Amino acid sequence: MKKLLLAGGLLTLAAFSLPSPPLDDLRTTNDPNTTAEIPQDNKLIIYQLLPRLFGNKVALNKPYGTIAENGCGKFNDITDQALAEIKKMGVSHVWYTGVLEHATMTDYSAQGIPADDADVVKGRAGSPYAIKDYYDVAPDLAVVVKNRMPEYEALIKRTHGHGLKVLMDFIPNHVARSYRSDAKPQGVVDLGATDDKTKAFAPNNNFYYLPGKSFVVPADYNPLGPLKGPAEDKKYTETPAKATGNDVFSEAPSINDWFETIKLNYGVDYQQGRKPYFAPVPDTWKKMRDILVFWAGKNVDGFRCDMAEMVPVEFWAYVIPEVKKVNPNIVFIAEAYDPKVYKTYLDQGKFDFLYDKVGLYDGLRRLMRQEGNTEDITRVWKEESNGFSSRMLRFLENHDEQRITSKDFATDPRRAIPAMTVTATLASGPVMLYFGQDVGEPAHGSEGFSGEDGRTTIFDYWGVPEHQKWLNQGKFDGAKLSPEQKSLRDFYRRLLNVTSASEAIRKGRFYELQDANNLGKEYNQRHLYAYLRYTDKQQVLVVVNFSADKTYRPTITIPAEAMTAMGLDSKRFYTYTDLLAPEEPLKTLKLTLAPLSAHVFELKPQ
């Protein structure tokens, strides 16, 4: 979500179908290696990019650099060629991150958008999650600022022209301290315009207030390091002070808080035991519904909803059906981190998909760092997402997480090979690729507000060096990539295309093979992980080796129970064709598993 300040052969995609409502599955199983869940074909292949960074060709990368110095990508930089290359990666959806107008230190006064006060902006470019106008897009992203909305609309149309769908952010929990919509449609009343500011809480207020108190800028905040930001004087005026975005009800939030944002009021009185006031429908609910309907009217295909758990589930239960009246196929993805409420936000809240960060991502991260155990993967499918694995969005990178190749994560981009294979094929839910991940972008350097933290900055103007080698000054041909980077990108292309085209992976059932193999010679279950995905038309075996230095030569056993579950005759002989590296089919499952390797074998009768 927010940084806290601290002292890429094209295959045809099958049609995407919306997830079905929760099913009462009459089938049960006593087999501990599988579940009774009936998978749904929800295999979105999402490519996440920040327009500000994606098309930027400037390589100066001066810490705290201005937009003129360090450059900035535009909507128009996401060209037909770029989109064609993204499509070749097997992608179905592009998530354009950081589109909405947000607080920034860059001055567009000539176009009616003055710079924001540096005391309440994080980074020269500003956080894409400190929204200044829900009805507008960031001027940074336009070639001609006054045409910024038509340029975004053209990008949406261009994306659709390549058979790709468009996702964008919806940030419901908080806005910039400077929020004021100058692009709102006629008749729309701005957030906070009719609030009773004498009350700390009122059901129809849009914000929470601290009557009689004025906002205090964190004393140790230094917005631009050695440089001076616009209006930087530690005297930002806000009276009465409003509650800060991360639920801090104090006029003096700390430097580690989301002090650049203010919390939206959805009818929950936090200071009185979180007492809810949901009837009649709160004003904030209606305003946010109208904002979502506005963007649905721009033909976007879905929303990634920021910090969805910080907004009451009752709001989502209200608003998602309202938006789906406009477009029944629109997708809602929740950024979510609490497994205890996953089912609540899916069933009651009506979300299509949730992040799987604290389960699969965290477990795979440990394995990539040679610290974990494949039992973490078992726990995810068996317990944490059992019954709704088709609705969990899996990933290894995004704008919040550290780059795989960074010194703070795994250092070697090849460590993603087994982990990304599991991420993409373990279940039939969505999988996401972050721009630059496919070329091993390491996020070296301290960009400014975003220090040396293993992440590509979302707060500063910056070029993304390894990604820029693929970008190649707008040619998007990868001509400047090293042989190793080309090989890595080819792996991602092959994996995601197999994932998008394979019926077994898109909608097949799951059967884990750890128990069947853990006593086998050369099968080290701490490093090796194997499972089946299958329908009545296709059966595949996935085997990965997480070890960074050891080759294993196991003979994989598929037990009779699994063969029966797949509808196969355990007495017949089969061939095994690796869909990730098409070679002569194997006639036995005596394998050589090199370090950091992955295989997706399709089974066929001999």
Side-chain angles (χ1 to χ4, degrees):
M1 161 49 213
K2 302 284 186 306
K3 172 174 175 170
L4 303 181
L5 183 58
L6 301 170
L10 179 60
L11 297 178
T12 303
L13 286 170
F16 163 65
S17 60
L18 282 170
S20 301
L23 297 172
D24 293 321
D25 189 350
L26 299 178
R27 282 189 279 182
T28 59
T29 178
N30 294 318
D31 191 328
N33 302 294
T34 188
T35 73
E37 179 180 347
I38 300 177
Q40 306 295 311
D41 183 356
N42 296 329
K43 191 54 77 177
L44 287 67
I45 314 290
I46 302 170
Y47 184 89
Q48 183 195 4
L49 67 87
L50 281 77
R52 183 206 290 164
L53 301 176
F54 180 83
N56 186 19
K57 306 176 185 71
V58 179
L60 177 65
N61 284 356
K62 173 183 175 182
Y64 298 105
T66 66
I67 191 170
E69 292 169 326
N70 281 353
C72 181
K74 310 293 183 183
F75 294 130
N76 288 5
D77 290 322
I78 307 167
T79 61
D80 284 306
Q81 181 63 33
L83 292 165
E85 293 300 319
I86 290 170
K87 182 68 179 286
K88 288 178 183 177
M89 294 291 281
V91 170
S92 61
H93 292 63
V94 185
W95 168 17
Y96 295 120
T97 304
V99 166
L100 294 176
E101 183 184 346
H102 55 268
T104 178
M105 296 187 206
T106 300
D107 191 2
Y108 290 99
S109 293
Q111 291 81 25
I113 309 172
D116 291 281
D117 190 316
D119 289 325
V120 287
V121 181
K122 289 182 177 178
R124 174 82 74 176
S127 169
Y129 294 94
I131 302 305
K132 189 160 68 173
D133 190 342
Y134 279 119
Y135 287 102
D136 209 348
V137 298
D140 276 351
L141 306 181
V143 175
V144 179
V145 172
K146 69 177 182 179
N147 291 337
R148 57 193 181 276
M149 188 65 81
E151 288 187 25
Y152 181 47
E153 292 168 340
L155 174 58
I156 295 171
K157 184 176 180 180
R158 193 159 62 248
T159 306
H160 287 158
H162 286 268
L164 296 162
K165 295 183 181 295
V166 173
L167 305 175
M168 66 181 288
D169 288 293
F170 174 56
I171 298 88
N173 177 65
H174 50 265
V175 294
R177 298 206 102 91
S178 60
Y179 187 91
R180 186 183 67 84
S181 177
D182 51 20
K184 62 186 184 296
Q186 189 172 1
V188 171
V189 178
D190 216 359
L191 287 164
T194 60
D195 281 7
D196 182 348
K197 299 179 183 179
T198 67
K199 295 181 178 179
F201 168 82
N204 279 318
N205 274 359
N206 300 134
F207 300 117
Y208 297 95
Y209 296 92
L210 300 161
K213 297 180 179 180
S214 296
F215 175 74
V216 179
V217 177
D220 42 356
Y221 184 46
N222 187 11
L224 292 179
L227 308 174
K228 195 78 169 176
E232 181 186 346
D233 59 5
K234 297 286 191 292
K235 298 178 182 178
Y236 182 77
T237 302
E238 182 183 283
T239 303
K242 302 182 185 76
T244 288
N246 59 322
D247 300 354
V248 172
F249 288 77
S250 166
E251 75 280 11
S254 83
I255 199 167
N256 294 324
D257 290 318
W258 304 346
F259 64 85
E260 84 282 20
T261 68
I262 48 178
K263 175 84 173 177
L264 280 162
N265 171 12
Y266 283 83
V268 178
D269 191 347
Y270 282 80
Q271 295 177 292
Q272 299 299 323
R274 296 181 177 241
K275 186 175 179 181
Y277 295 83
F278 297 155
V281 174
D283 184 70
T284 301
W285 291 25
K286 297 174 185 177
K287 283 185 165 66
M288 302 310 269
R289 173 201 62 197
D290 293 347
I291 289 161
L292 284 163
V293 167
F294 173 83
W295 289 107
K298 299 288 186 185
N299 294 321
V300 302
D301 302 288
F303 300 98
R304 176 268 188 190
C305 301
D306 186 72
M307 299 306 294
E309 293 164 322
M310 294 185 77
V311 173
V313 70
E314 292 85 355
F315 165 71
W316 298 114
Y318 158 82
V319 80
I320 291 176
E322 287 287 302
V323 180
K324 291 197 176 191
K325 290 176 185 177
V326 178
N327 177 2
N329 295 317
I330 207 156
V331 171
F332 280 82
I333 302 170
E335 179 188 18
Y337 299 109
D338 184 358
K340 294 191 298 295
V341 297
Y342 282 174
K343 275 191 67 63
T344 302
Y345 276 77
L346 288 170
D347 294 348
Q348 182 184 346
K350 310 295 185 185
F351 272 101
D352 297 299
F353 307 110
L354 308 179
Y355 268 35
D356 190 349
K357 193 274 179 189
V358 300
L360 192 63
Y361 169 88
D362 282 353
L364 291 175
R365 179 184 170 99
R366 289 188 289 270
L367 280 161
M368 293 165 73
R369 289 169 58 85
Q370 309 292 292
E371 297 168 351
N373 191 306
T374 60
E375 290 175 4
D376 284 343
I377 307 173
T378 302
R379 183 184 58 79
V380 169
W381 69 259
K382 184 175 282 191
E383 300 172 17
E384 193 172 279
S385 63
N386 188 353
F388 49 87
S389 68
S390 301
R391 298 174 69 179
M392 301 303 289
L393 167 62
R394 269 78 189 247
F395 54 83
L396 290 182
E397 285 189 359
N398 63 41
H399 66 281
D400 284 320
E401 308 302 338
Q402 291 174 327
R403 291 286 192 174
I404 294 161
T405 313
S406 72
K407 61 182 175 58
D408 300 299
F409 189 165
T411 66
D412 183 348
R414 296 176 303 158
R415 293 194 180 189
I417 290 172
M420 193 67 188
T421 302
V422 172
T423 297
T425 68
L426 186 70
S428 60
V431 59
M432 185 163 72
L433 179 72
Y434 190 40
F435 86 105
Q437 177 182 343
D438 52 322
V439 295
E441 173 58 46
H444 290 328
S446 179
E447 302 99 332
F449 175 84
S450 190
E452 183 85 39
D453 63 358
R455 297 171 178 84
T456 295
T457 181
I458 64 171
F459 305 95
D460 309 277
Y461 297 111
W462 203 251
V464 185
E466 302 309 310
H467 166 74
Q468 286 179 330
K469 293 178 181 179
W470 173 72
L471 171 67
N472 192 15
Q473 292 298 309
K475 294 177 183 175
F476 298 98
D477 59 4
K480 296 183 179 180
L481 295 174
S482 69
E484 292 79 11
Q485 287 175 311
K486 290 178 180 179
S487 176
L488 181 69
R489 192 166 189 277
D490 186 59
F491 157 74
Y492 280 100
R493 179 191 61 79
R494 287 180 281 116
L495 173 65
L496 295 179
N497 275 290
V498 166
T499 299
S500 69
S502 166
E503 177 180 286
I505 294 169
R506 290 191 69 97
K507 58 182 180 181
R509 297 179 76 100
F510 170 88
Y511 196 103
E512 187 184 82
L513 296 177
Q514 297 298 87
D515 284 353
N517 289 276
N518 62 9
L519 298 179
K521 184 179 180 181
E522 286 273 322
Y523 196 91
N524 182 338
Q525 66 174 342
R526 291 185 60 85
H527 292 156
L528 304 184
Y529 192 69
Y531 52 94
L532 301 162
R533 296 293 311 284
Y534 61 93
T535 66
D536 57 354
K537 295 179 181 178
Q538 187 187 35
Q539 302 81 33
V540 300
L541 162 67
V542 181
V543 188
V544 300
N545 179 8
F546 286 100
S547 174
D549 52 23
K550 185 167 178 56
T551 296
Y552 292 100
R553 294 178 174 83
T555 298
I556 300 296
T557 297
I558 302 178
E561 297 89 344
M563 295 297 285
T564 300
M566 291 192 290
L568 300 181
D569 186 349
S570 60
K571 295 183 175 63
R572 291 193 65 174
F573 292 96
Y574 294 85
T575 62
Y576 309 93
T577 302
D578 190 348
L579 301 178
L580 293 182
E583 296 171 351
E584 280 297 307
L586 302 177
K587 293 187 177 181
T588 73
L589 283 174
K590 183 171 177 57
L591 306 179
T592 298
L593 303 176
L596 305 176
S597 62
H599 305 271
V600 179
F601 295 107
E602 183 175 24
L603 283 67
K604 293 284 188 183
Q606 286 192 30

